[in-house]
Amino acid sequence: MDEKGILIVVSGFSGSGKGTLMKELLARYPDTYALSVSATTRAPREGEADGREYFFVSKDEFEKMIAKGELIEYARYVENYYGTPRDYVEKQLEKGRDVILEIEIQGALSIKKMFPDTLLLFVTPPCAEELRNRLVGRGTETMDVIQSRMDRACEEAEGMEDYDYLIVNDSLNRCVEEMHAIIRGEHRKSSRNREFIQKIKQDLERLKH
Amino acid sequence: MDEKGILIVVSGFSGSGKGTLMKELLARYPDTYALSVSATTRAPREGEADGREYFFVSKDEFEKMIAKGELIEYARYVENYYGTPRDYVEKQLEKGRDVILEIEIQGALSIKKMFPDTLLLFVTPPCAEELRNRLVGRGTETMDVIQSRMDRACEEAEGMEDYDYLIVNDSLNRCVEEMHAIIRGEHRKSSRNREFIQKIKQDLERLKH
């Protein structure tokens, strides 16, 4: 069966809990999944390590990576670049690990266009009110920030139907297992197992005689 | 989220163990799944009960069902009709149960054409040799029968790639849970949750103000 890894893009509303969800998925199944580490030109924040949170590179280095085609997607926010190094992703997929990228919709759709086998997952709370309640509940955000997050959520919701699956984050434990089950299921898609199908057909023909 | 049932068609090689697999799935999750009972004009065999193995009807009755559009698919083998009554299937789907039909490829594809949301599952042993070994291992079949089953398997394999998922039946327990997980995952497809997406978009717009 399909032993090659699947490239998985996870997006979702700010406040949907996708960070926690992915951390937990990786912790439970460390041999199954690999988290892609992005390259960025922004300065490391306290506690961030090069190669763990990000690969921290200069603007020059980043632009060389773009020119050499070493990024499978990149974007520029304000004055900083963010991108996904191709090399790490491809090596992990070859090893049979599913590689998870956490990026926003524009990046997600451009990756899907380039690599149609990419699996797009969208993490959402069970309802819009819940999203607002979580942001308010954090207690660390001003109402202005919450308002701008809700505005942003409206924009983020625009592309929801372009994702393959919705991951409804109501309870962490259930949700991690559901995400895992969805990805395991994807490995059983006929479209991902053309070689297996070809082999069984040939062997059946052979055994007829 | 998606509360309506999914219509699931299960096909597979003779000797792939799909009968046992489905029986076990139904036994473990009786509230989740309903097995569609076919109508047939063939005579009941010993131990078969009307409405359990089949709905046993006369040729006249069956042809009336066809004329009235009461079957979602039917086929004629030798001198007998076999078909799937629409009424039972639709009622179970409305109740939110996933309805499983066990039919062959021609029927499967014609159902998928009429109802594009149908999920097509193909049960296969891990390899062709295994299929042959199982048929031989039963000890109840003559070599002629085994040979004709293998010929038939070659024909059955023709349509494998038209199914959505392959269910590799290596161990019953693992396989039942995998089938269940694949179907649960399908309920999370964006394409099956258009209403949920519409609602969350509208609510987010409302909460902005």
Side-chain angles (χ1 to χ4, degrees):
Chain A
M1 293 294 289
D2 178 33
E3 302 300 345
K4 259 195 67 189
I6 296 178
L7 183 56
I8 301 160
V9 171
V10 177
S11 309
F13 300 119
S14 329
S16 63
K18 60 180 185 298
T20 314
L21 177 60
M22 272 155 41
K23 219 175 272 176
E24 186 61 28
L25 186 72
L26 270 287
R28 287 194 198 176
Y29 306 100
D31 298 331
T32 307
Y33 301 108
L35 198 63
S36 162
V37 178
S38 298
T40 183
T41 57
R42 84 152 165 76
R45 295 188 189 131
E46 209 176 309
E48 288 184 341
D50 187 48
R52 193 181 61 196
E53 280 77 13
Y54 287 96
F55 295 109
F56 295 100
V57 300
S58 70
K59 199 175 159 233
D60 254 24
E61 288 171 305
F62 200 100
E63 286 172 350
K64 270 182 200 147
M65 292 171 86
I66 297 174
K68 288 188 192 161
E70 289 174 7
L71 300 167
I72 59 175
E73 60 84 36
Y74 70 94
R76 191 171 176 153
Y77 298 113
V78 200
E79 74 266 55
N80 288 309
Y81 282 120
Y82 295 80
T84 304
R86 176 189 301 272
D87 187 51
Y88 176 82
V89 169
E90 289 184 345
K91 275 189 186 142
Q92 295 295 327
L93 292 176
E94 280 305 320
K95 276 192 207 166
R97 288 170 101 194
D98 297 329
V99 179
I100 302 181
L101 309 186
E102 186 193 334
I103 50 175
E104 289 179 81
I105 179 154
Q106 290 81 1
L109 296 183
S110 84
I111 286 184
K112 181 93 179 183
K113 222 171 180 176
M114 255 193 306
F115 308 100
D117 286 346
T118 304
L119 183 65
L120 302 186
L121 306 181
F122 192 94
V123 181
T124 173
C127 63
E129 286 76 8
E130 176 77 15
L131 189 66
R132 196 168 197 281
N133 294 344
R134 284 187 202 175
L135 291 170
V136 174
R138 285 184 186 174
T140 54
E141 321 284 4
T142 64
M143 283 316 283
D144 272 3
V145 167
I146 291 168
Q147 195 53 51
S148 85
R149 285 288 182 81
M150 292 305 288
D151 289 352
R152 177 107 191 85
C154 285
E155 293 166 27
E156 288 163 338
E158 275 313 308
M160 273 177 89
E161 55 270 340
D162 295 322
Y163 285 73
D164 296 306
Y165 293 91
L166 303 180
I167 309 286
V168 178
N169 193 5
D170 41 11
S171 106
L172 180 66
N173 184 51
R174 200 200 55 72
C175 190
V176 168
E177 290 312 320
E178 183 170 286
M179 190 166 160
H180 182 60
I182 285 172
I183 299 166
R184 290 302 91 205
E186 270 294 306
H187 280 273
R188 298 308 195 180
K189 275 264 181 78
S190 305
S191 53
R192 297 188 190 274
N193 290 283
R194 294 295 184 216
E195 284 177 31
F196 175 87
I197 292 175
Q198 268 322 102
K199 186 171 185 328
I200 213 163
K201 283 184 177 183
Q202 284 163 5
D203 290 348
L204 283 170
E205 282 297 331
R206 194 171 41 76
L207 286 169
K208 263 171 80 173
H209 309 298
Chain B
M1 293 295 289
D2 179 31
E3 302 300 345
K4 260 193 68 189
I6 296 177
L7 183 57
I8 302 160
V9 171
V10 178
S11 309
F13 300 118
S14 329
S16 63
K18 61 180 184 297
T20 314
L21 177 59
M22 272 155 41
K23 219 176 272 177
E24 186 60 29
L25 186 73
L26 270 287
R28 286 194 199 178
Y29 306 101
D31 298 331
T32 306
Y33 301 108
L35 198 64
S36 162
V37 178
S38 297
T40 183
T41 56
R42 82 151 165 76
R45 295 187 191 133
E46 207 175 313
E48 288 183 341
D50 187 47
R52 192 181 63 195
E53 280 77 15
Y54 288 96
F55 295 109
F56 296 101
V57 299
S58 71
K59 198 175 161 234
D60 253 23
E61 287 171 306
F62 199 100
E63 286 172 349
K64 270 182 201 150
M65 291 172 87
I66 298 173
K68 287 188 193 161
E70 290 173 5
L71 300 168
I72 59 176
E73 60 83 38
Y74 70 93
R76 192 170 174 153
Y77 298 112
V78 201
E79 75 266 54
N80 288 309
Y81 282 119
Y82 296 81
T84 305
R86 175 187 300 272
D87 187 50
Y88 176 82
V89 168
E90 289 185 344
K91 274 189 187 142
Q92 295 294 327
L93 292 176
E94 280 305 320
K95 277 192 207 167
R97 289 169 102 193
D98 296 329
V99 180
I100 303 181
L101 310 186
E102 187 193 335
I103 50 175
E104 288 179 83
I105 179 154
Q106 291 80 1
L109 296 183
S110 84
I111 286 184
K112 180 94 177 180
K113 221 170 182 177
M114 255 193 305
F115 308 100
D117 286 345
T118 304
L119 184 64
L120 302 186
L121 306 180
F122 193 94
V123 182
T124 172
C127 63
E129 286 77 7
E130 176 78 14
L131 189 66
R132 195 168 197 281
N133 294 345
R134 284 188 203 174
L135 292 170
V136 173
R138 284 185 186 173
T140 54
E141 321 283 4
T142 65
M143 284 315 283
D144 273 2
V145 168
I146 291 168
Q147 196 52 52
S148 84
R149 283 289 180 83
M150 292 306 287
D151 289 351
R152 176 108 189 85
C154 284
E155 292 167 27
E156 287 162 338
E158 275 313 308
M160 271 178 91
E161 55 270 340
D162 295 322
Y163 284 74
D164 296 305
Y165 294 91
L166 304 180
I167 309 286
V168 178
N169 193 5
D170 41 11
S171 106
L172 179 66
N173 184 50
R174 200 200 55 72
C175 190
V176 168
E177 290 311 320
E178 183 170 286
M179 189 166 161
H180 181 60
I182 285 172
I183 299 166
R184 290 302 88 206
E186 270 293 306
H187 280 273
R188 298 308 195 181
K189 276 263 182 80
S190 305
S191 53
R192 296 188 190 275
N193 289 283
R194 295 296 184 215
E195 283 177 33
F196 176 86
I197 292 176
Q198 269 322 102
K199 185 169 185 331
I200 212 163
K201 283 184 178 183
Q202 285 163 4
D203 290 348
L204 282 170
E205 282 297 332
R206 194 171 41 77
L207 287 169
K208 262 171 81 173
H209 308 301

